[in-house]
Every structure is written in C-alpha cells, then in structure tokens.
Amino acid sequence: MSLNQEYQKELKLAKFADEQLLKTKFITKLRKPSMKHDHDSMIQNIFKLDGQFIEKNLKCRLCQDYFQKFTITFCGHSFCYLCLFEHLLKSHKCPCCFTKIKGLQFVYCKTIDGFIQSQVIVSSQKHIDNYHSRKNVLKEWKAKKKIKNFNIGDSLDVLDSEHIWCVGKILKIKQKKRNQILIHYQGQNKIYDEYISINSPRLSTLGLFTNRKDILLYQPSLNEELLQIYLRYLEQLQNNETSFIDYLISQRQNQNQNLIFAFQSNGRNTISNLFSLIIYNNQTINDSF
Ligand SMILES: [Zn+2]
Ligand SMILES: [Zn+2]
C-alpha cells in the first residue's frame, strides 16, 4: 500500500481528526532519515570497487599483501617497491611474465599508491595497522640506504647497468651543481666509470648490498683452467671426508648473459661422474666455458 493510500485510509478512519495534523505526520514520514549520512557515504563510495577486484588486483604477487609504494614494471606488472627491488637482487626476471628486467626499469605511481592507501584506510583497523607498519619498514630501509655525505675517495655501493650491486669509489664531485659524482667500479676497467646523480636510487651506503650473501654479485670469472683447479680442490675435500660438499654455485656474467651454474654432487663417485651441470639461463652456453 502506498503512503498516499495509507494516508487516505487513516484519514477516513479518523473522521473527526485534525486533517492538518495527519498531513504533518505523513510528511514527516516522507522525509529521509539522514541526508547527511547519504552524502557522507556517497563521498566515501565514489571509488568503491567490488570486493573481488580489491582482493585480486590491489595486492602484490610477491608478498600477497596490499601494494606498498605501488610500482609498475615496463612489462606492465605491479608490485610493492621494496618487494620488486628485493626480487631483482636475486633474479632479473619479472615474477609474473619472466620478462628480463635490468636497471631501474620500473616506476613508482603516486596516484595509484594514494588510491590504494585510501582504500586501505576505509577498510579494517587490522589492515590499517599492517599498512603502517610496512610503511615504517620501507622508511627504515630507505634511511639505511641513503648516503648522507659525499666525499672524494669514499666507497659506496652502486648498481651497474647489469643490475648487479658493486663497490664503487667516488672520483669526482661535479663542482658546479654538486649533484653528480663520478664513480669508479672497484676492480674494473676505468672505461666503466660513470657520472651518477647523488639522488639516484642506484647508490647506497657501502655494504648494504655488496656484503650480502644471498643476492647476485660478481664473482671472479672461472676459466677452464681455474675451474679444473677448483674441481680438484673440491675432490680433495671430498676424499678427506672432513667436509661434504653438496653443490657449488658459480656465476658468470658478461654483456648479454647472466649465467648461474650449479654443480651438484651425487654421493662419493669419481670426480667425472660427480658433477652434473645444471644451467639456469635462457641462452646457450657456447662461449662460456
Ligand atoms: Zn609486495
Ligand atoms: Zn612482467
């Protein structure tokens, strides 16, 4: 029954009632309870996405959590800045599509990051707390990485064009603007020396990356002769039975390749049977050993 019909019915019943009073009663009923509430919820829900979209698309594939400092690779995949940065220390491939990513081929998007943050903030307190604690982790990481003073002769960590952290030395500081430094890569030919902006994310305090044992770093390259010496040394260790080596990982890099070799031992056979070669690479090894 419509409100109008209800009103008519009630009016008939209340023969002697004050018509104006009844009208007022129903007009009050017609009024919406809270216009302010509607307005507030409309503002809040301008970008309300359906739940499934939030769950699937606003989360980083690496940490399974909401994007923190939303970062997009040139192949179009998105991660938290720190998750991607950390991943690229160990592998130079996109975790989603395996496209090769070297150098800083990814950008931070402020707009989307702000949007995600706004979504997290209107969600539960648990998400908000988690988001802020992760934000602090990122802040601390940045503080550890940031170089405060640049002086000629200082050593630092520097990310090279192959996306490998190296130890570098400051040779020059550009006097005019003082925002560029000339870096020499320790132990490498001076043809690799380069100018880098002091604000570049490719710079870090000494040892933050180059002291790590769990990331890709340059190792002295093994030529065939050296490899034989090394294998004989490993054989000796095995014969001594004092130590047991399960595998040896060696890495070799040049301009177009990033080869990681794992030599795996199978018990106590002779050296020729002992090592099987496993190669993780998308290219051939013709010119490697
Ligand atoms: Zn992440
Ligand atoms: Zn990708």
Side-chain angles (χ1 to χ4, degrees), residues 28-38:
T28 313
K29 273 191 188 174
L30 283 167
R31 180 192 269 166
K32 284 191 176 180
S34 169
M35 299 300 275
K36 186 184 172 294
H37 174 268
D38 286 356

Side-chain angles (χ1 to χ4, degrees), residues 222-239 245 247-248 250 262-265 270-272 274-277 289:
L222 294 166
N223 59 34
E224 206 169 328
E225 196 183 339
L226 268 172
L227 184 67
Q228 287 306 321
I229 293 168
Y230 201 16
L231 291 181
R232 277 201 293 278
Y233 163 72
L234 290 175
E235 192 177 35
Q236 253 179 19
L237 285 180
Q238 291 252 326
N239 289 340
I245 291 173
Y247 57 86
L248 154 73
S250 133
F263 301 92
Q264 197 170 17
S265 79
T270 58
I271 189 79
S272 55
L274 202 60
F275 296 99
S276 56
L277 190 63
F289 284 112

